[in-house]
C-alpha cells in the first residue's frame, strides 16, 4: 500500500529543529549573496553603511555641544540600524519574491514557514550587527565616544532586540504583503517610529505625550540598554529596568508575528492573488 | 507624390515645443493619478515631513538649543524640511522617472517615442513637486501651531526664494536622472545621497558648524544658497536686495547642473540605444 503523499513529504522533509535552522541559515546566506551581487559590493557597503553613518553625523552635529547626548546618539545610531534593517527586511524580501514571481512557490514549499521567515530575519540580523559595529567604531573614531562594554549585557540586549524585531517584523511583513505595499508601509512606519524609538534622543528626556506611547514599544528600552551595555559597562542587573520590558516584548511579539503570518497564509489561499503585483 | 516623413507635431520648433509640453503635463497628470490611487502614499506624504520636523525640534529642545545663529529653531527647521521635501521630490521624482518606466516595462517606448525624454522626466518632477507643495503647506501650518515665527517684509523676495528652490532642485534632479538611467542602483544612490546633502546644504544644522572643506562643497550645490535666501526672506525679513547674492549664486550653480543634466541625459539616451540593455532590470 502506498503511503499518503503528506507522509512521504513529511518523511522527506522532516520539520525538525535542525532542518529548520539549516534552511534558515541557507536562506539568510543566500539572501545576503543575492543582495550583495545585485547591488555590487561597493554599492552594498555604501548603502548599508553610508545611511546610518550619515544619519549619525547629522545627529551628532545637532548635539555638537552636548557630549552626553552625542555619545548617546552614536550608540542609538547603531540601535536604529537594528530597528530599520530588521523591522522592514521581511516585508521587503517578500515583496522582492512577489516581483520575481516566486512568492507563491515559497508559500507552498514543503519547508516550514518559520524556516524561511527566520532566514529573512537572520540575514537582516547579520547585516544589522555589521552595520552597528561599523557605526559605533566610526562614532568612537570621529567623536571620541567612550566605550566600556559589558559583553554579557550586550549579548543579552542584542538577542532580546533581535527576537522583538523578528516578531514585529513578521507582523509588518504580513500586513505589507497583504496590501502589496511593503516598501511604502516601511517608509511610512519608519517616519512614525523614529521619534518613538529613542533613536534621536533618550525616551526619558522626551515630553510626557511622547514618552507614554514610546514606552508601549520595545525600541526605546532596547536602545537604552544598548547604550548602557556599550558605554557604561552596565550589568544585566543594572539594566533590568530596560531588559525586563524588553523580555516581555520578546515573548509576546513573536507570538503575534506567528499569528499574523498564519492569517496572511489563510488570506492568501482564500484570495488566490498572492503573486499579483 | 512626396510624402512628408515629419509628423506635424514636430514639423516646426514651435510644434515640437508644444508636443513636448503636452508630454510633460500628461506625464505629470498620470503620476498624480497613480499617487492618488495609493492610500498609504496619501497618508505618508504630509505625515513624514511633520514627523521629521517634530523629531528635530524635540532634539534641539532636549539639547537646550532654542536658536541657531540668527534664526529661531522651529523656523530654521521648517525651512529645512521644506527644502528636504523639494529635494526628495526631484531626486525621487526625476531620478526615478525612468527607473519607474523600466519597472513598468515601458522604458523602451518612452525612450523611442518622438517626444523628448527630458519632457517625460520633467513631467515626473512636476508631479512630484505638486505633491511636495501640499506637504510643505502642512508642515508650515504645524510649525506655526507649535510656535514657529516667520518675519516677512518683502513678499517678492519670499516668492523668488521659493522659485529659486524649485528651479535648483529641478536642475539637480535632471543632472541625476541621466546617472540613474545608466545605473541600476538608483534607489541606493538616492538613499545614500540624501543625508550628506541635508548636512552640506544646511537643512538641519547651520553650515557654520561644518569644517571649511565641507562648506566649500556645499557652496557648489544650488540648494545651499537657495536655503540662505529663503531663510533670509522668511525668518529675518530680508529684502530682495539683501538676498540678491544668494539668489544669483543659486541660479548660477543651478545652470551648471542643468547643463550637466542635459549632457548626461543625451549621453544616457545614446548609450542605452547602442547597448540595448535599457529594459533589463
Amino acid at each position: 500500500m502506498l503511503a499518503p503523499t503528506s507522509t512521504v513529504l513529511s518523511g522527506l522533509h522532516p520539520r525538525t529543529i535542525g532542518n529548520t535552522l539549516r534552511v534558515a541559515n541557507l536562506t539568510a546566506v543566500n539572501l545576503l549573496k543575492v543582495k550583495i551581487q545585485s547591488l555590487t559590493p561597493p554599492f552594498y557597503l555604501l548603502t548599508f553603511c553610508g545611511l546610518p553613518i550619515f544619519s549619525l553625523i547629522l545627529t551628532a552635529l545637532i548635539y555638537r555641544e552636548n557630549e552626553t547626548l552625542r555619545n548617546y546618539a552614536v550608540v542609538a545610531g547603531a540601535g536604529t540600524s537594528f530597528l530599520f534593517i530588521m523591522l522592514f527586511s521581511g516585508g521587503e524580501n517578500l515583496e522582492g519574491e512577489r516581483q520575481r514571481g516566486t512568492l507563491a512557490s515559497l508559500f507552498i514549499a514543503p519547508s516550514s514557514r518559520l524556516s524561511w521567515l527566520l532566514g529573512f530575519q537572520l540575514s537582516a540580523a547579520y547585516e544589522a550587527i555589521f552595520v552597528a559595529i561599523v557605526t559605533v567604531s566610526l562614532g568612537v573614531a570621529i567623536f571620541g565616544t567612550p566605550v566600556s562594554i559589558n559583553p554579557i549585557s550586550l549579548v543579552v540586549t542584542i538577542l532580546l532586540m533581535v527576537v522583538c524585531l523578528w516578531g514585529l517584523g513578521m507582523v509588518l511583513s504580513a500586513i505589507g504583503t497583504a496590501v502589496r505595499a511593503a516598501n511604502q508601509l516601511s517608509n511610512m512606519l519608519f517616519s512614525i517610529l523614529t521619534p518613538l524609538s529613542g533613536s534621536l534622543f533618550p525616551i526619558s528626556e522626551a515630553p510626557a505625550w511622547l514618552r507614554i506611547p514610546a514606552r508601549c514599544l520595545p525600541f526605546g528600552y532596547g536602545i537604552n540598554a544598548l547604550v548602557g551595555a556599550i558605554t557604561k559597562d552596565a550589568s544585566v542587573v543594572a539594566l533590568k529596568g530596560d531588559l525586563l520590558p524588553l523580555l516581555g516584548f520578546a515573548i509576546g511579539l513573536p507570538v503575534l508575528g506567528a499569528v499574523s503570518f498564519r492569517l496572511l497564509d489563510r488570506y492568501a489561499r482564500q484570495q488566490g492573488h498572492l503573486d499579483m503585483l | 507624390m512626396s510624402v512628408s516623413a515629419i509628423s506635424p507635431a514636430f514639423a516646426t520648433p514651435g510644434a515640437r515645443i508644444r508636443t513636448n509640453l503636452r508630454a510633460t503635463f500628461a506625464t505629470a497628470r498620470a503620476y498624480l493619478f497613480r499617487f492618488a490611487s495609493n492610500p498609504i502614499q496619501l497618508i505618508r506624504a504630509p505625515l513624514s515631513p511633520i514627523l521629521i520636523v517634530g523629531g528635530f525640534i524635540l532634539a534641539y529642545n532636549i539639547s537646550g538649543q532654542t536658536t541657531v545663529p540668527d534664526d529661531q529653531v522651529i523656523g530654521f527647521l521648517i525651512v529645512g524640511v521644506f527644502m528636504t521635501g523639494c529635494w526628495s521630490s526631484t531626486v525621487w521624482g526625476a531620478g526615478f522617472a525612468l527607473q519607474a518606466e523600466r519597472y513598468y516595462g515601458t522604458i523602451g517606448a518612452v525612450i523611442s517615442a518622438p517626444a523628448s525624454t527630458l519632457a517625460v522626466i520633467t513631467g515626473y518632477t512636476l508631479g512630484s513637486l505638486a505633491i511636495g507643495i501640499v506637504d510643505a503647506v502642512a508642515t508650515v501650518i504645524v510649525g506655526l501651531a507649535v510656535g514657529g515665527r516667520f518675519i516677512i517684509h518683502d513678499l517678492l523676495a519670499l516668492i523668488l526664494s521659493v522659485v529659486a528652490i524649485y528651479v535648483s532642485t529641478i536642475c539637480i534632479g535632471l543632472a541625476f536622472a541621466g546617472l540613474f538611467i545608466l545605473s541600476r542602483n538608483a534607489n541606493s544612490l538616492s538613499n545614500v545621497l540624501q543625508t550628506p546633502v541635508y548636512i552640506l546644504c544646511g537643512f538641519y544644522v547651520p553650515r557654520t558648524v561644518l569644517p571649511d572643506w565641507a562648506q566649500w562643497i556645499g557652496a557648489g550645490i544650488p540648494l545651499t544658497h537657495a536655503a540662505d535666501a529663503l531663510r533670509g526672506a522668511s525668518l529675518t525679513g530680508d529684502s530682495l536686495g539683501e538676498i540678491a547674492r544668494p539668489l544669483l549664486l543659486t541660479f548660477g550653480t543651478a545652470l551648471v547642473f542643468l547643463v550637466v543634466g542635459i549632457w548626461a541625459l543625451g549621453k544616457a539616451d545614446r548609450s542605452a540605444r547602442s547597448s540595448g540593455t535599457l529594459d533589463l532590470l
Side-chain angles (χ1 to χ4, degrees):
Chain A
M1 188 170 102
L2 292 173
T5 307
S6 57
T7 307
V8 172
L9 279 178
S10 65
L12 286 174
H13 304 280
R15 294 186 179 190
T16 62
I17 292 177
N19 271 353
T20 298
L21 291 175
R22 196 172 304 126
V23 170
N25 194 50
L26 281 172
T27 305
V29 169
N30 197 51
L31 268 174
L32 283 173
K33 274 189 197 170
V34 166
K35 202 180 278 190
I36 293 170
Q37 281 170 1
S38 65
L39 283 175
T40 71
F43 269 111
Y44 176 80
L45 281 174
L46 192 62
T47 305
F48 283 92
C49 293
L51 277 168
I53 288 167
F54 289 128
S55 296
L56 165 64
I57 291 173
L58 177 58
T59 313
L61 283 170
I62 292 173
Y63 295 144
R64 58 194 176 281
E65 292 174 11
N66 188 317
E67 190 180 339
T68 307
L69 284 173
R70 199 172 61 239
N71 294 337
Y72 175 90
V74 168
V75 182
T80 306
S81 306
F82 269 97
L83 172 68
F84 190 62
I85 294 173
M86 288 204 63
L87 209 53
F88 304 121
S89 67
E92 303 277 342
N93 288 325
L94 289 173
E95 193 66 25
E97 295 285 341
R98 171 183 274 144
Q99 288 174 6
R100 286 188 290 272
T102 52
L103 184 59
S105 305
L106 198 59
F107 269 76
I108 61 175
S111 58
S112 72
R113 305 272 184 285
L114 180 65
S115 59
W116 47 263
L117 279 172
L118 190 57
F120 287 170
Q121 294 297 68
L122 262 182
S123 77
Y126 295 155
E127 272 180 336
I129 289 170
F130 171 71
V131 171
I133 292 171
V134 169
T135 307
V136 173
S137 304
L138 279 173
V140 170
I142 298 173
F143 301 109
T145 301
V147 168
S148 182
I149 298 175
N150 185 308
I152 297 173
S153 300
L154 183 61
V155 168
V156 168
T157 304
I158 290 175
L159 275 173
L160 289 176
M161 279 182 74
V162 166
V163 173
C164 286
L165 292 170
W166 174 46
L168 199 51
M170 280 205 293
V171 174
L172 294 176
S173 302
I175 297 171
T177 304
V179 302
R180 293 193 197 79
N183 188 287
Q184 292 152 21
L185 190 65
S186 304
N187 286 325
M188 183 178 75
L189 285 175
F190 189 68
S191 307
I192 296 171
L193 290 177
T194 298
L196 294 171
S197 65
S199 57
L200 275 178
F201 41 77
I203 294 300
S204 57
E205 303 285 333
W209 57 267
L210 190 65
R211 207 164 51 238
I212 293 168
R215 289 301 187 200
C216 300
L217 296 168
F219 319 115
Y221 300 109
I223 289 180
N224 217 41
L226 266 184
V227 172
I230 291 176
T231 63
K232 299 174 187 169
D233 190 18
S235 65
V236 171
V237 173
L239 294 175
K240 64 179 184 300
D242 292 312
L243 292 178
L244 282 175
L246 203 57
L247 179 63
F249 282 111
I251 294 168
L253 286 174
V255 172
L256 190 61
V259 167
S260 304
F261 227 83
R262 192 175 289 273
L263 288 173
L264 168 68
D265 193 346
R266 193 177 305 161
Y267 172 77
R269 287 172 195 274
Q270 284 170 356
Q271 300 296 317
H273 57 44
L274 195 63
D275 255 345
M276 288 170 61
L277 292 174
Chain B
M1 185 175 70
S2 66
V3 176
S4 171
I6 301 174
S7 162
F10 298 91
T12 63
R16 198 176 300 126
I17 290 171
R18 282 192 296 276
T19 302
N20 285 329
L21 275 175
R22 276 201 294 272
T24 296
F25 289 120
T27 307
R29 196 169 65 241
Y31 178 90
L32 289 170
F33 277 134
R34 268 199 306 275
F35 186 90
S37 68
N38 190 323
I40 293 179
Q41 293 277 55
L42 285 173
I43 296 169
R44 182 187 156 214
L47 192 61
S48 287
I50 291 170
L51 290 171
I52 290 170
V53 78
F56 281 119
I57 289 171
L58 284 171
Y60 269 91
N61 284 347
I62 287 168
S63 63
Q65 301 175 70
T66 53
T67 58
V68 290
D70 302 329
D71 299 318
Q72 185 216 25
V73 161
I74 296 177
F76 178 88
L77 291 172
I78 286 174
V79 171
V81 167
F82 175 72
M83 307 283 296
T84 304
C86 294
W87 165 265
S88 299
S89 297
T90 46
V91 170
W92 294 100
F96 265 95
L98 298 181
Q99 190 82 350
E101 296 290 346
R102 179 186 268 151
Y103 174 76
Y104 295 131
T106 51
I107 189 164
V110 167
I111 296 289
S112 56
S116 156
T117 310
L118 191 60
V120 172
I121 293 172
T122 307
Y124 269 95
T125 307
L126 287 178
S128 194
L129 284 174
I131 294 161
I133 290 172
V134 175
D135 302 346
V137 169
T139 308
V140 169
I141 290 171
V142 169
L144 288 169
V146 299
R149 290 190 308 273
F150 296 97
I151 302 171
I152 302 168
H153 291 150
D154 190 336
L155 192 57
L156 182 61
L158 181 71
I159 292 169
L160 281 178
S161 306
V162 173
V163 167
I165 289 170
Y166 282 116
V167 165
S168 56
T169 51
I170 287 171
C171 293
I172 295 172
L174 290 174
F176 280 121
L179 177 65
F180 288 173
I181 294 174
L182 296 174
S183 167
R184 283 165 179 75
N185 293 315
N187 196 354
S188 310
L189 277 172
S190 301
N191 277 316
V192 172
L193 285 173
Q194 280 184 134
T195 312
V197 166
Y198 300 165
I199 295 171
L200 292 171
C201 296
F203 286 9
Y204 299 118
V205 288
R207 291 177 57 240
T208 48
V209 307
L210 301 176
D212 290 340
W213 58 267
Q215 292 190 44
W216 276 108
I217 295 173
I221 304 172
L223 283 170
T224 304
H225 309 292
D228 289 343
L230 183 59
R231 285 190 173 120
S234 64
L235 301 179
T236 53
D238 289 354
S239 65
L240 185 58
E242 287 169 310
I243 64 167
R245 185 169 181 273
L247 280 180
L248 286 171
L249 286 169
T250 302
F251 290 120
T253 46
L255 185 61
V256 172
F257 276 84
L258 179 64
V259 167
V260 168
I262 292 172
W263 170 83
L265 280 170
K267 186 169 167 59
D269 193 314
R270 288 188 295 277
S271 173
R273 287 172 196 273
S274 63
S275 67
T277 57
L278 200 59
D279 260 332
L280 296 179
L281 289 174

